Structure formats: C-alpha cells, structure tokens
Amino acid sequence: MPGTHQRDGRNPISTDTVQRIYCRTSSDAAGNESVRRYAVSAANVSATCYSALPAHVRSAQSAGDASFIDFTWDVNGVCQSLDVLKGSHLEPKAP
C-alpha cells in the first residue's frame, strides 16, 4: 500500500509522542549506495521503503535528529520521495 510518513524533530509539543523515523544509508565494496527508511506512528503502524537513487541517499545523509523528515513510497515499498528540512528558523529542541 502506498503511503507517506513524516517526523518533525523540532516540535516537542506534537500530539504524536512516538515519531520514530530512521534513515539508514549503506554502501558496498563496488561503491553502490542505498538508503532504507523506517517509520513507526503513534498508532504503532510501521512502514519501510528502499532506494538506491543517489539523490535519496544524499538527502538521507543530510538529516539530523532535529530535522523535519517526510518520505513517500509506492505499493512495492520503493521510496518515491524524501524531504529533509533543517534551518535556524526552526524552534530549538529543549535541553
């Protein structure tokens, strides 16, 4: 089933107390890179997708723990998009 998931690491007041999202990048001896994204919602619904597109890998590598992350996938679990937002205009995390 296609879908979308997002996590806003800047928003400590969110009603979603879970907001777990992971972007794992890897490479092999031939230099091939890939990314796998995994997310769990507050309803304990999980989703995962995979991509070997260089732009998806670079986007995932740019994410930090305070980044806004949004990704979409198709019916085969192939990642279709990855949006990573970082910036000084974002609300800082509490210490």
Side-chain angles (χ1 to χ4, degrees), residues 5-95:
H5 191 85
Q6 58 185 232
R7 176 186 190 275
D8 189 350
R10 312 165 326 244
N11 188 356
I13 310 169
S14 172
T15 58
D16 183 344
T17 59
V18 178
Q19 290 192 1
R20 288 181 287 174
I21 193 167
Y22 309 93
C23 293
R24 180 179 183 167
T25 58
S26 59
S27 62
D28 61 22
N32 300 307
E33 294 181 305
S34 64
V35 60
R36 180 163 299 277
R37 297 178 199 112
Y38 177 78
V40 180
S41 72
N44 205 32
V45 175
S46 63
T48 187
C49 70
Y50 170 86
S51 177
L53 290 173
H56 287 176
V57 173
R58 284 191 309 274
S59 292
Q61 290 170 332
S62 76
D65 64 350
S67 298
F68 172 87
I69 301 170
D70 178 65
F71 70 91
T72 61
W73 59 93
D74 67 12
V75 296
N76 297 311
V78 177
C79 299
Q80 298 298 301
S81 66
L82 173 62
D83 182 27
V84 175
L85 174 64
K86 301 183 297 185
S88 61
H89 67 284
L90 304 176
E91 180 180 331
K93 292 173 69 174

